[in-house]
Amino acid sequence: SEERITDVSFSGDNKKVATVCDAIRIRTYNVDIDFALFSENEAESPIQEVQLGEDGSLMMTASKDGYICAWLKQGGGYELIRSIEAHTDRIFDLEFSPSYKDFASASEDGTFKLWTIKSENPFEVELLDSTPSEHKANFCSLAFSQDGNVIATGSKASVDAIKLWKIHNEGIGSSRRKLKLLMSLGGHKWPVWSLLFSDNGERLISGSSDKKIKVWDLRSGQLEATLSG
């Protein structure tokens, strides 16, 4: 029978593609060799998301039990090198920053988290910040701006389901980064599952279960257009 493909990802150099099949198998393909199969791995728990790193040597998966797994390219395949108990419930989204040095995770446990990669081999990460308690929600989508300084999050909240967060240094002379709420955007009546910044960072597009696509002008914080899905 045909498999259900639930997520896909390009590496930053566009030389590899990763797919999640039936929420349990991860396949990668070589783009430059007619998309020939490079590797196939089976996860221990159902996978929600897959992301390939800048050159395809690192692959990360997010699972429905709250774990983030790191896979390193070894010879002719990928080897699981570490599992992180990142959340206490399903991870709906996992995204690298444009620099591929940081990543963010959005979960049904009420939080989204910002991480930095300290080392790929051995794989070491540091949690930079998490959702402030007053803004907890069932987060189901996220996106980085092209400059990597802002994160947009979408949730299942009935009010202000979209929030924009500025990534800033904790203090003068500090390299530790924190999250600061910039603005909240309402308008969707159902969960926001998809978010995308324009290249210049002036607009945000959101897609929701309410069958609406909304275009936001981030300079004014106003809704610019609503499209039917």
Side-chain angles (χ1 to χ4, degrees), residues 42-179:
E42 191 161 312
E44 295 180 359
S45 59
I47 300 170
Q48 188 77 24
E49 289 282 319
V50 63
Q51 285 287 311
L52 284 169
E54 187 170 20
D55 62 0
S57 61
L58 175 66
M59 178 172 68
M60 293 201 304
T61 56
S63 68
K64 296 181 180 181
D65 61 5
Y67 278 81
I68 293 174
C69 294
W71 309 73
L72 199 64
K73 187 170 69 174
Q74 305 277 14
Y78 284 87
E79 180 182 342
L80 178 63
I81 55 172
R82 189 176 175 195
S83 297
I84 303 166
E85 191 175 359
H87 292 273
T88 58
D89 208 334
R90 178 196 301 252
I91 300 173
F92 274 118
D93 205 357
L94 178 72
E95 299 288 342
F96 276 112
S97 68
S99 70
Y100 289 92
K101 294 178 181 178
D102 302 326
F103 64 94
S105 53
S107 172
E108 202 169 28
D109 67 2
T111 67
F112 91 92
K113 297 181 178 182
L114 177 64
W115 312 77
T116 190
I117 299 173
K118 303 183 73 174
S119 169
E120 283 193 11
N121 190 16
F123 186 74
E124 294 182 11
V125 299
E126 178 185 356
L127 176 63
L128 295 177
D129 206 357
S130 183
T131 317
S133 58
E134 65 269 26
H135 295 296
K136 286 186 178 294
N138 287 340
F139 292 98
C140 47
S141 59
L142 55 85
F144 279 90
S145 61
Q146 291 296 314
D147 62 9
N149 292 327
V150 178
I151 298 176
T153 58
S155 75
K156 297 181 180 181
S158 58
V159 178
D160 294 338
I162 302 169
K163 295 185 183 298
L164 273 73
W165 309 82
K166 175 74 173 178
I167 303 171
H168 67 101
N169 287 341
E170 192 170 24
I172 298 175
S174 172
S175 60
R176 183 174 176 82
R177 284 156 292 152
K178 304 288 283 183
L179 296 164

Side-chain angles (χ1 to χ4, degrees), residues 16-36:
K16 278 193 168 47
V17 173
T19 65
V20 176
C21 310
D22 285 342
I24 201 71
R25 278 176 290 282
I26 314 131
R27 293 196 181 102
T28 60
Y29 301 84
N30 285 314
V31 174
D32 294 339
I33 314 176
D34 295 327
F35 289 89

